[in-house]
Amino acid sequence: MKKNKKCYLIHRLYSFLIFFLLANTVIAGTNKKQDIFDLPLTQLVNVEVQSASRFKQKSSEAPSSVEVLTAEDIRSFNWRTLSDALNAIRGLYVRNDRNYTYLGVRGFGPVGEYNSRILIMINGRRMNDAIFDQGFLGEDFMLDMNIIDRIEYIPGSGSSIYGANALLGVINVITKQGKDINGLRLTGEVGSQDTYRGRFTYGKQWDNGVNLLFNASQFSSRGNGSLFFPEFIDTNNGIARNLDRERSSRLFGQLSYRGFTLSAGYVDRSKQIPTASFGAIFNDKPFTMVDRQTFVDLDYNTSINANLALQLRGFHHWYDYHSNEVYLNTNNEAASYRAINKDATSARWWGGEFKLIGTHFENHKWITGIDFQYDQRQRMTNFDYVPEYLLFNQSNNHGVRVGGYLQDEYRISDNLMLNLGIRVDHHHLIKNIQVNPRVGLIWNITPTLTGKLLYGSAFRAPNIYERDYILLDTNVSNPNNRQELIKSYQAIVEWYPTDGIRFLSTLFFNDLSKLLIQNPYPDPDPDSKKFMNGGGARSLGFELQGEKRWDNGRLFKISWTYNNTDMRDDFLNNHWSKAINSPQNLVKAHYAEPLFNNRLRLGFEEIFVDNRQTLGHHSASAYHIFNINLSLTKPIYGFEASLGLYNVLNQHPQMVGGPEHIQDVIRMDGRTVRFRLEKSF
């Protein structure tokens, strides 16, 4: 009965959206006779994107149902981290275990992995690390939100253009330029749970064309000082005290001159873990994880002639992680004892890319390129150092990843376009060459209505953690695991009826096979406890979205994603069953209203996430998150400010626990507040 009522309310909400936006369409149509293609792209919300095909094109012509969040959206809703922004996008949902933030896509959000099935990029540069293939989303992400110009989300398999990790989609975060800042900005933030952030931002473009952007920030938060976990009721009454602290430091710089762009970034983030995950002793000495990332990147873009452009790129990345954990060692048959364990990784990788974009042939726009990455160091170690030194794991690897791709955008007629792409990859962690195609048929049915039929395949190679880490007290690593595969099908309809309005509907089917699963079930064979290819997933669903943007900055957007996702675990049984951490319904609504001649802006955000099945075969309850933000958008004496109220209704969402947790669900915080004050010079 509850399920039927919930679906009825969702249908009513979407019906209201269609009525509201169509009413605005009729009114706008009676007052404007200008041809729709004469309007600016930003007014049409048919924005220019560059991530779907690696070159700029209108979103209606991209071989995907692209979603774009702008700097204006970030300011309107005061998203604190990249994960906050992604949680606002249709089809995406986040899970937090009071350590890292994880991303689910269209009902597929398995626990026990580190965002390795989605590709995270900054300005088109791959940011997933070379140990866990992890895409960082929270305070461990490289950028502060104030220097992000836009976020492009490309759903569907992306290996035909980007290679490994683009299994479920691509997220490209594009930074502002120095001219967008045009001066010095000093920012201070204060919030609930003794949360503070200080930030220094400088940007400028000189007359000779040199463009400089620099940003530095420091973040700290006490976190929740008293967390109750009923699973540990016999220890300190189940309360973890002062074990939720987090801090981060960031640096980012970008210098551009003519065709050259030099970028560099650094982030150092530490987080205390209050959940006693990975067998830690509850409420003991702080269990802390530290992640440090650094990158340097040099790009060169030039036009060889009117029909040919060249792009070159070289990069070097660093990643280091370590943790210290107090646990009870029970391997001694005589007596167990308290031990302190250190887990650490270190990675270094460098590479480059060569890319050509051409329009030599009539009605064709093609792109071809080669990218190369040398994983110079992939080192992992795990050992006890108290009360004595005991080595449990040590590995050191290296290898090469190289891929070549070709894509052609062929305009068959004025209203029909065929997008074909193929990529060939060699990855040192798998034996076979990977070939992944993409086919997209894009039909402009009318000047304002577009239909798309898309197919693509993708792969994900096992990462070094899944390949070499010795798990669950076994003495054997995982030399024989292979790549995961996906086939993705999408049917898309986009309608731009008039100025600033967009309707979107998608029907999608994802078929994943050879999923890597860490088998947690007891078995005398140690191989059964490792990451092995033994699963599959199927996801069928649809997305509906309506969006209206006014010239004065007003915004109304609502989306509904429905999916039915099943998984098969061959280690447990060979039957299809409801996927873990898979909400069947996601409903998201956003409204921003300018006040007092757009001097102030009021933003409302509502996110509904359906219930999700846990590893213990229970249900994590559905929840609503309602946020309000009030921001000063026109500076007063150089000052800007914002006040954000998050989780206004004081809900405590239940997040699904992973295999490393005793907790089946992990309770999140309630209402929080953040105030930001910024001074421009």
Side-chain angles (χ1 to χ4, degrees):
M1 181 62 111
K2 290 182 180 179
K3 184 177 180 181
N4 291 336
K5 183 178 180 181
K6 176 174 62 183
C7 292
Y8 171 78
L9 290 174
I10 292 171
H11 280 287
R12 293 288 294 175
L13 186 62
Y14 202 77
S15 298
F16 169 75
L17 160 75
I18 293 175
F19 173 80
F20 177 81
L21 292 183
L22 283 177
N24 278 278
T25 301
V26 172
I27 294 171
T30 60
N31 294 328
K32 295 188 179 182
K33 298 191 184 218
Q34 186 178 8
D35 188 281
I36 193 159
F37 283 118
D38 293 335
L39 295 170
L41 292 178
T42 51
Q43 287 186 307
L44 288 169
V45 292
N46 186 9
V47 295
E48 196 173 65
V49 298
Q50 63 187 49
S51 306
S53 301
R54 290 202 182 201
F55 55 73
K56 292 182 179 181
Q57 59 191 162
K58 291 189 294 185
S59 61
S60 62
E61 296 182 349
S64 181
S65 54
V66 183
E67 185 73 9
V68 178
L69 301 179
T70 66
E72 198 74 4
D73 297 330
I74 293 172
R75 184 169 64 170
S76 293
F77 303 105
N78 206 7
W79 293 315
R80 297 161 290 185
T81 62
L82 177 61
S83 64
D84 281 353
L86 297 180
N87 202 34
I89 295 178
R90 58 180 166 80
L92 300 182
Y93 58 101
V94 298
R95 179 179 73 93
N96 186 287
D97 63 357
R98 295 194 175 275
N99 183 5
Y100 296 112
T101 302
Y102 312 90
L103 192 65
V105 181
R106 289 176 166 175
F108 186 75
V111 296
E113 61 95 34
Y114 295 95
N115 295 325
S116 59
R117 294 180 175 96
I118 194 160
L119 179 62
I120 307 294
M121 301 191 299
I122 295 177
N123 296 327
R125 304 162 179 90
R126 175 188 295 269
M127 300 306 295
N128 296 59
D129 73 71
I131 297 290
F132 306 96
D133 274 337
Q134 182 170 357
F136 296 94
L137 306 176
E139 288 297 331
D140 41 21
F141 182 60
M142 186 71 66
L143 302 177
D144 283 308
M145 297 300 288
N146 70 307
I147 59 171
I148 294 177
D149 181 62
R150 66 186 186 276
I151 301 168
E152 296 182 1
Y153 164 55
I154 317 298
S157 58
S159 284
S160 66
I161 194 75
Y162 289 109
N165 299 109
L167 202 73
L168 300 172
V170 175
I171 293 166
N172 189 16
V173 181
I174 299 168
T175 60
K176 294 178 180 178
Q177 298 182 30
K179 62 182 180 181
D180 300 319
I181 305 299
N182 193 31
L184 172 65
R185 297 182 184 180
L186 300 178
T187 307
E189 296 178 3
V190 60
S192 305
Q193 301 176 352
D194 291 337
T195 299
Y196 305 95
R197 190 192 308 273
R199 188 164 58 217
F200 171 98
T201 307
Y202 178 77
K204 185 174 179 61
Q205 180 173 335
W206 285 269
D207 294 338
N208 61 0
V210 174
N211 202 307
L212 173 66
L213 172 66
F214 178 77
N215 184 79
S217 71
Q218 181 76 39
F219 168 86
S220 68
S221 177
R222 173 182 58 85
N224 195 321
S226 180
L227 290 166
F228 174 65
F229 299 101
E231 294 82 1
F232 297 100
I233 191 66
D234 294 332
T235 304
N236 198 39
N237 296 317
I239 298 175
R241 296 196 183 278
N242 299 320
L243 294 176
D244 194 34
R245 295 181 183 274
E246 183 174 20
R247 67 158 184 81
S248 68
S249 303
R250 289 191 181 94
L251 293 171
F252 179 81
Q254 184 168 279
L255 179 66
S256 301
Y257 179 64
R258 296 185 177 177
F260 289 94
T261 301
L262 177 65
S263 303
Y266 168 80
V267 59
D268 177 4
R269 179 255 194 182
S270 69
K271 178 67 175 66
Q272 292 181 349
I273 317 301
T275 56
S277 56
F278 299 100
I281 298 176
F282 181 73
N283 198 46
D284 204 304
K285 181 179 179 181
F287 175 17
T288 304
M289 290 191 178
V290 178
D291 296 273
R292 294 190 181 99
Q293 308 162 65
T294 310
F295 85 95
V296 177
D297 185 287
L298 179 62
D299 288 353
Y300 176 65
N301 300 320
T302 187
S303 295
I304 298 175
N305 56 47
N307 296 315
L308 187 63
L310 169 68
Q311 296 184 14
L312 299 173
R313 179 169 63 94
F315 62 84
H316 198 310
H317 286 240
W318 296 258
Y319 172 64
D320 293 289
Y321 149 84
H322 71 266
S323 68
N324 292 280
E325 172 191 2
V326 180
Y327 78 106
L328 192 65
N329 191 318
T330 58
N331 291 332
N332 190 329
E333 296 181 359
S336 59
Y337 60 90
R338 182 178 181 271
I340 301 181
N341 177 267
K342 186 178 183 67
D343 190 50
T345 69
S346 179
R348 304 288 184 268
W349 65 101
W350 54 268
E353 181 180 4
F354 171 88
K355 180 168 60 176
L356 290 171
I357 303 173
T359 56
H360 292 82
F361 310 106
E362 187 177 0
N363 299 323
H364 288 267
K365 185 172 186 178
W366 56 268
I367 177 173
T368 186
I370 297 175
D371 56 46
F372 164 85
Q373 179 173 315
Y374 176 50
D375 295 329
Q376 181 180 2
R377 180 199 298 174
Q378 294 175 306
R379 184 179 300 165
M380 295 187 298
T381 184
N382 183 282
F383 56 90
D384 284 355
Y385 61 93
V386 174
E388 60 180 336
Y389 178 81
L390 290 174
L391 180 65
F392 297 113
N393 180 52
Q394 185 164 317
S395 67
N396 192 9
N397 289 275
H398 60 88
V400 173
R401 315 180 190 188
V402 61
Y405 55 88
L406 173 65
Q407 180 173 289
D408 182 33
E409 182 183 271
Y410 173 41
R411 192 170 293 277
I412 301 172
S413 64
D414 290 341
N415 63 348
L416 189 62
M417 189 164 58
L418 183 64
N419 193 294
L420 299 173
I422 190 167
R423 180 178 169 114
V424 179
D425 279 277
H426 162 74
H427 196 296
H428 67 96
L429 291 178
I430 54 179
K431 298 177 181 179
N432 301 325
I433 297 294
Q434 295 298 302
V435 180
N436 289 282
R438 178 172 70 178
V439 180
L441 185 64
I442 302 170
W443 179 25
N444 293 320
I445 305 168
T446 72
T448 61
L449 183 66
T450 300
K452 304 177 183 180
L453 293 176
L454 309 174
Y455 165 78
S457 68
F459 80 102
R460 182 183 78 91
N463 53 56
I464 284 294
Y465 169 66
E466 294 164 328
R467 172 60 58 84
D468 280 358
Y469 204 86
I470 297 174
L471 303 168
L472 301 178
D473 300 324
T474 67
N475 294 312
V476 186
S477 58
N478 311 291
N480 298 316
N481 49 19
R482 303 179 306 280
Q483 68 278 3
E484 298 179 337
L485 301 173
I486 186 175
K487 293 181 179 179
S488 176
Y489 307 83
Q490 297 183 79
I492 302 166
V493 176
E494 297 182 23
W495 182 32
Y496 302 87
T498 190
D499 187 0
I501 294 181
R502 179 197 190 201
F503 287 105
L504 170 72
S505 63
T506 69
L507 178 66
F508 60 85
F509 176 66
N510 291 328
D511 185 8
L512 294 100
S513 59
K514 298 183 181 180
L515 288 180
L516 284 163
I517 296 176
Q518 180 185 352
N519 183 19
Y521 308 105
D523 193 300
D525 179 8
D527 285 354
S528 69
K529 298 181 180 181
K530 302 176 304 183
F531 285 99
M532 301 182 70
N533 300 87
R538 299 180 302 201
S539 183
L540 175 65
F542 62 82
E543 297 166 332
L544 300 174
Q545 179 168 295
E547 178 180 1
K548 166 68 175 175
R549 292 179 184 266
W550 285 261
D551 290 338
N552 65 353
R554 182 183 295 119
L555 163 68
F556 180 65
K557 180 165 70 172
I558 189 169
S559 69
W560 171 30
T561 301
Y562 172 87
N563 80 92
N564 186 34
T565 302
D566 295 323
M567 289 191 68
R568 187 189 74 248
D569 185 342
D570 295 340
F571 298 116
L572 178 62
N573 54 53
N574 199 28
H575 300 143
W576 292 94
S577 59
K578 178 68 176 175
I580 302 298
N581 189 39
S582 177
Q584 197 165 59
N585 292 283
L586 296 171
V587 179
K588 304 181 180 185
H590 293 83
Y591 180 72
E593 177 64 32
L595 304 172
F596 304 109
N597 197 25
N598 205 18
R599 294 184 179 276
L600 295 175
R601 184 168 301 175
L602 190 60
F604 300 93
E605 179 178 42
E606 162 70 17
I607 295 173
F608 168 77
V609 178
D610 213 342
N611 53 52
R612 292 131 289 134
Q613 183 168 298
T614 68
L615 287 173
H617 302 289
H618 300 108
S619 178
S621 301
Y623 63 88
H624 291 267
I625 294 294
F626 181 57
N627 303 322
I628 301 175
N629 180 67
L630 180 64
S631 56
L632 178 65
T633 54
K634 290 187 177 180
I636 298 178
Y637 299 108
F639 285 96
E640 295 183 40
S642 68
L643 176 65
L645 304 177
Y646 303 92
N647 195 0
V648 175
L649 302 180
N650 201 32
Q651 297 221 336
H652 292 270
Q654 294 180 337
M655 298 294 169
V656 177
E660 69 273 23
H661 299 106
I662 293 178
Q663 300 93 330
D664 202 34
V665 296
I666 300 173
R667 191 170 184 255
M668 294 291 104
D669 294 330
R671 185 185 304 113
T672 58
V673 180
R674 183 180 69 166
F675 176 73
R676 175 180 61 86
L677 184 64
E678 182 172 281
K679 170 64 174 174
S680 299
F681 298 91

